[in-house]
Amino acid sequence: MKAILRSLGFEKHSNYVRDYFDNTNMKSSIYMSVVVIVLEIWMIIRLTLTIIRENLQSNLKHFFEKYYSNYGILLFMACVMLFCAVRYLKGKSKRRSVILITKWVFMITCIYFGIKVSLNDYAKGEQFLTFLTMELFALCLLTWRPFTAFIISGSSFLYFYSCIDKMVAINTGEVGATVATKINFFSMWLSTMMICIASYNRIRAQALKDENLHEINTYLSKLSVEDELTGIHNMFYFRNEAEKLLNYITTDKENIVFLFFDIENFKSYNEKYGFHAGNELLIKIAHMIDDAFKNSLVSRFSDDHFVVLTSYDGVQKIIGQLSGEIKKFQNEVHLELKCGAYRPHGEETDVSQACDRARFACNSIKKHYDRTWRLYDKSLEDKFHLKQYIVNNIDTAIANGYIKVYYQPIVLTENANICGLEALARWQDPNYGLLSPASFIEILEEYRQIYKLDMYIIESVCKDYRDSTDNHKPFAPVSLNFSRLDFELCDIVGYLCETVEKYNVPREFIEVEITESALTDQHEFLPNAIKKLNECGYNVWLDDFGSGYSSLNVLKDFHFDVLKIDMKFLTGFNNNEKTRPILENIVNLTKKLKMLSLTEGVETKEQFDFLCSIGCERAQGYLFSKPVPIEILREKIEKGELKMSDKYKN
Ligand code: C2E
Ligand code: CA
Ligand code: CA
């Protein structure tokens, strides 16, 4: 029932469908009015020529009343319709009321004209073709809802029929329509109605289909410029628009600035309050940034990273205010806004590079709690180049042997003898000199290249073991630093097993250090990897204990053989009275959890004595030795500066 009512036009149209009908009607109106205009002009010319040829000028009043006036009215209406339809389709006027009135007036004029002319001619011989043509024009070319069409055609057919039913046919002299005419007339009306209904439903179906497509397209195009979570612009939109802008501004480029925002500790906020709360916070921050930089390009690149292109004047003040507002959101998690700024100059049009530099400036002030913003300058430029150099040259560095393993001894507190060595990477570069891990580990992690380095270190350590053993030189179990990403980017455990086998290294000579922060990311594969390492017979150590937020959880969820207490505990050894009891408690805890404790960063005899007194089993630090190449380590042992545990003397 509903479907029938719908197909008869008893339904509410959406704006899109309504506009679709209006559009279709305006297009049909153009065809109709052009045909009508041509026809009427032709009729007017033909009638005038007939009047002149047959010398009928004396009857001009009669012709005017009967023909010229009708032709004129229709011609005028067709011109008005044409004018309105063209304006509508060109988008110059979209006023519905105007086009509705014009359409109705035009339709009524057409039908009126059809009836009038047919009635004039009917007397001459049952002529109603003009009526029919006009009816078809007005009802079938234009699309009406079926019930509207029913009213229009019903009343016009009835009116026309009642008129001809009273008339006398000239050729036969009979009054009224014949039975055949009545039947023909009725079937004509029925066909007109059928065509109306069919045309309405065809166009309606098309309109609905188009509406769907339109909705999908709108959704997709919104997605392509809008960030789904926050509703502000996304990276693609930003890049496109920023590029246009950079190309457009030829002078005064120094006046614009790229800003890269990062919310420090956002990860911890997510961990503490959950993703939902994290997302809500991101939405708030996104709108705060958007509001703060009116008339600028504001976008979210990813996670908690926002990029803005704006004018340089007053930018520092806005960043200061934003930073203050963001601090208000923190309760237990310390949140801080960090902003890196880059001012393009000269011919620069590379948006990606500008964003990269702003991001680089932003990263350079991470963990500097007193700084909110940093402008990309010469010193950062040098670091930026180094970063590019590192990413581009890691393969060459490995192939050419620029990467070296340095060993730092780990000693037993009971006798200060070496019981282990930590393998630490160094990059001896022909251009940059000796690079410490601080300058390349993070970059390699960022570019997901770190596994190359760690695989190389595994192989180098195994080779050093083989060489020491074959040549009866001292060597101790080596602890390797694995990055969290190693487990993600390659089968590091598989590779370790293969290499150890290849160089015939006993498994107890290899230990794996996993830094605490790696375990707070809640990755599924890490627990599995730790399990696999244990199963293969390797000891796993927890590195940098106490440097992150979830130290104790990590101890609850995973098993480690050794706990490496982060060196930051020793930095306050002399002036912070809490350091000692904290260290003592950690050491006690490790004993209870059946782990060994190792304190890193031991630099003074006093620190070492304290560690001995609280029962910490192992220590590592400059007091014994800095990380050194294997040859130096051997020399130190030979000279007696360092003593190897009896177990590992070879
Ligand atoms: P880490 O694993 O915590 O290594 C200890 C760092 O502390 C080393 O820095 C070491 O030289 C330094 N250190 C040792 N004793 C003392 C001391 O008494 N005082 C002070 N101030 N520092 C001391 P390094 O060699 O620069 O390494 C830095 C970090 O780079 C390492 O931290 C480790 O996380 C990473 N790393 C080093 N080599 C590798 C590697 O081959 N692979 C991976 N994935 N990471 C590595
Ligand atoms: Ca380590
Ligand atoms: Ca460490």
Side-chain angles (χ1 to χ4, degrees):
M1 189 62 193
K2 250 188 176 171
I4 296 175
L5 283 179
R6 222 179 289 136
S7 69
L8 291 179
F10 294 100
E11 66 174 335
K12 198 171 169 350
H13 286 163
S14 66
N15 285 352
Y16 184 87
V17 174
R18 204 190 63 193
D19 289 348
Y20 192 92
F21 272 111
D22 285 349
N23 245 328
T24 322
N25 278 335
M26 286 305 103
K27 277 184 202 148
S28 310
S29 306
I30 290 188
Y31 306 136
M32 259 172 78
S33 41
V34 168
V35 171
V36 167
I37 289 169
V38 172
L39 269 179
E40 291 324 292
I41 291 176
W42 179 54
M43 297 293 271
I44 290 171
I45 295 172
R46 209 191 61 152
L47 184 65
T48 312
L49 286 178
T50 314
I51 292 170
I52 295 170
R53 211 182 307 118
E54 296 179 15
N55 238 340
L56 301 170
Q57 285 89 333
S58 55
N59 253 347
L60 224 51
K61 195 167 170 263
H62 161 80
F63 286 116
F64 184 79
E65 274 171 9
K66 230 174 171 185
Y67 298 104
Y68 278 128
S69 58
N70 295 328
Y71 295 160
I73 289 170
L74 189 60
L75 181 61
F76 173 73
M77 237 359 266
C79 290
V80 173
M81 183 78 247
L82 183 64
F83 177 74
C84 286
V86 169
R87 268 176 73 83
Y88 177 84
L89 290 173
K90 276 192 170 171
K92 286 191 180 148
S93 158
K94 286 276 175 193
R95 279 176 60 186
R96 269 206 101 220
S97 52
V98 175
I99 61 150
L100 263 181
I101 293 170
T102 324
K103 192 177 80 167
W104 273 89
V105 174
F106 185 47
M107 182 270 300
I108 292 170
T109 318
C110 284
I111 295 179
Y112 159 82
F113 177 85
I115 293 176
K116 199 83 195 229
V117 172
S118 281
L119 287 181
N120 285 345
D121 292 348
Y122 186 79
K124 290 180 199 158
E126 295 202 351
Q127 177 64 270
F128 50 73
L129 273 181
T130 316
F131 166 68
L132 190 63
T133 314
M134 290 328 254
E135 194 79 15
L136 285 172
F137 255 32
L139 283 168
C140 303
L141 272 180
L142 298 180
T143 322
W144 303 93
R145 291 187 189 235
F147 65 82
T148 318
F150 180 82
I151 296 169
I152 301 169
S153 67
S155 51
S156 54
F157 267 83
L158 264 180
Y159 176 71
F160 186 69
Y161 177 76
S162 71
C163 289
I164 57 170
D165 206 31
K166 285 183 213 127
M167 291 178 94
V168 179
I170 275 183
N171 47 357
T172 59
E174 268 180 40
V175 179
T178 60
V179 176
T181 308
K182 282 179 192 164
I183 295 171
N184 282 343
F185 204 70
F186 184 65
S187 17
M188 265 159 30
W189 174 72
L190 266 188
S191 331
T192 321
M193 271 314 294
M194 292 316 227
I195 301 175
C196 270
I197 296 174
S199 139
Y200 170 78
N201 282 298
R202 183 173 47 79
I203 290 172
R204 180 177 159 272
Q206 188 63 41
L208 290 175
K209 200 168 122 193
D210 273 29
E211 188 179 25
N212 268 340
L213 278 177
H214 177 75
E215 272 170 11
I216 293 169
N217 270 340
T218 321
Y219 177 70
L220 287 178
S221 57
K222 222 170 128 191
L223 263 193
S224 68
V225 299
E226 206 176 77
D227 173 54
E228 232 185 324
L229 174 71
T230 61
I232 67 170
H233 286 128
N234 63 15
M235 183 172 75
F236 302 107
Y237 179 84
F238 180 89
R239 290 221 159 123
N240 269 335
E241 293 303 302
E243 204 171 296
K244 279 186 215 156
L245 213 99
L246 277 193
N247 281 309
Y248 178 74
I249 305 175
T250 43
T251 55
D252 220 15
K253 240 178 218 170
E254 280 83 4
N255 221 351
I256 60 170
V257 64
F258 282 81
L259 302 175
F260 187 98
F261 288 99
D262 184 25
I263 317 295
E264 190 144 19
N265 281 336
F266 183 75
K267 231 181 191 170
S268 313
Y269 188 94
N270 248 346
E271 273 162 24
K272 189 155 177 67
Y273 300 107
F275 271 113
H276 186 69
N279 281 350
E280 273 180 5
L281 179 65
L282 275 184
I283 295 171
K284 275 189 207 146
I285 293 176
H287 288 109
M288 268 166 51
I289 299 179
D290 204 26
D291 290 345
F293 294 98
K294 291 249 155 51
N295 305 324
S296 311
L297 260 180
V298 179
S299 69
R300 175 173 172 241
F301 264 33
S302 63
D303 311 318
D304 54 336
H305 301 150
F306 299 89
V307 181
V308 174
L309 179 58
T310 187
S311 81
Y312 184 69
D313 297 332
V315 93
Q316 245 171 300
K317 196 173 153 211
I318 302 178
I319 296 169
Q321 285 164 350
L322 270 175
S323 158
E325 283 178 47
I326 282 170
K327 278 197 182 123
K328 289 184 195 150
F329 289 123
Q330 63 190 20
N331 22 47
E332 282 161 66
V333 175
H334 177 85
L335 287 175
E336 211 167 322
L337 183 76
K338 297 281 171 194
C339 176
Y342 176 69
R343 298 171 78 175
H345 36 77
E347 297 292 290
E348 250 180 294
T349 53
D350 190 335
V351 174
S352 298
Q353 198 159 49
C355 295
D356 268 1
R357 289 181 167 156
R359 182 169 62 147
F360 192 73
C362 179
N363 287 346
S364 73
I365 49 167
K366 275 192 178 172
K367 307 247 154 54
H368 291 236
Y369 288 107
D370 52 334
R371 299 197 65 172
T372 306
W373 99 302
R374 165 99 199 239
L375 189 65
Y376 185 90
D377 55 15
K378 177 77 181 78
S379 74
L380 279 186
E381 171 96 358
D382 294 341
K383 282 192 190 152
F384 188 71
H385 284 149
L386 176 65
K387 171 178 165 176
Q388 286 179 326
Y389 180 82
I390 283 166
V391 179
N392 295 334
N393 288 281
I394 177 68
D395 293 320
T396 326
I398 288 174
N400 294 351
Y402 300 157
I403 307 281
K404 300 254 163 27
V405 184
Y406 275 40
Y407 293 96
Q408 186 179 31
I410 296 165
V411 302
L412 294 171
T413 43
E414 58 186 48
N415 54 16
N417 287 351
I418 298 175
C419 61
L421 301 167
E422 177 172 11
L424 293 157
R426 297 288 181 269
W427 180 324
Q428 182 66 55
D429 192 78
N431 301 314
Y432 283 95
L434 186 70
L435 297 172
S436 75
S439 51
F440 59 85
I441 297 285
E442 221 177 288
I443 295 168
L444 292 177
E445 286 189 331
E446 186 185 335
Y447 286 83
R448 302 170 83 81
Q449 304 281 308
I450 186 75
Y451 70 97
K452 293 182 179 167
L453 173 88
D454 286 340
M455 284 164 91
Y456 179 76
I457 299 288
I458 291 176
E459 170 135 36
S460 309
V461 167
C462 290
K463 271 188 192 158
D464 283 345
Y465 168 84
R466 184 83 339 257
D467 175 67
S468 304
T469 311
D470 292 351
N471 297 302
H472 305 289
K473 303 238 164 87
F475 204 70
V478 177
S479 56
L480 299 163
N481 289 288
F482 276 10
S483 161
R484 167 183 68 79
L485 289 171
D486 291 340
F487 299 101
E488 209 177 301
L489 298 170
C490 69
D491 175 16
I492 194 83
V493 184
Y495 180 79
L496 177 66
C497 292
E498 265 171 43
T499 319
V500 159
E501 218 154 275
K502 182 171 156 197
Y503 291 96
N504 198 14
V505 183
R507 298 202 169 192
E508 58 277 14
F509 259 75
I510 300 289
E511 270 136 341
V512 176
E513 292 188 16
I514 294 178
T515 166
E516 182 195 81
S517 61
L519 297 157
T520 57
D521 281 357
Q522 317 271 309
H523 285 293
E524 267 300 300
F525 47 82
L526 257 176
N528 289 337
I530 294 175
K531 218 169 113 205
K532 202 167 154 200
L533 279 168
N534 282 324
E535 280 164 12
C536 295
Y538 301 106
N539 280 339
V540 181
W541 296 8
L542 179 61
D543 200 1
D544 304 333
F545 177 78
S547 64
Y549 282 99
S550 45
S551 314
L552 295 172
N553 274 336
V554 166
L555 289 184
K556 178 168 70 62
D557 297 336
F558 305 96
H559 172 75
F560 300 97
D561 301 282
V562 173
L563 187 86
K564 281 190 93 167
I565 301 166
D566 195 72
M567 63 184 84
K568 104 174 166 200
F569 286 103
L570 285 185
T571 47
F573 190 77
N574 283 329
N575 33 33
N576 190 342
E577 45 193 55
K578 289 184 188 154
T579 305
R580 295 171 198 233
I582 292 177
L583 275 173
E584 192 170 354
N585 274 310
I586 296 175
V587 171
N588 286 338
L589 180 70
T590 52
K591 288 192 199 311
K592 288 206 175 105
L593 295 173
K594 307 215 167 6
M595 290 186 280
L596 292 176
S597 48
L598 188 173
T599 306
E600 300 183 271
V602 182
E603 292 183 356
T604 63
K605 179 86 175 59
E606 195 195 352
Q607 291 169 344
F608 183 61
D609 289 342
F610 173 73
L611 292 172
C612 295
S613 73
I614 59 170
C616 175
E617 285 90 351
R618 298 179 186 195
Q620 174 184 1
Y622 293 171
L623 176 65
F624 316 102
S625 165
K626 287 193 169 181
V628 287
I630 188 148
E631 301 78 26
I632 310 279
L633 181 79
R634 285 173 183 158
E635 263 175 37
K636 284 189 174 208
I637 294 170
E638 265 168 38
K639 282 191 202 153
E641 283 174 32
L642 288 168
K643 227 178 135 224
M644 194 56 104
S645 261
D646 293 338
K647 228 167 131 185
Y648 309 118
K649 278 190 169 148
N650 268 332

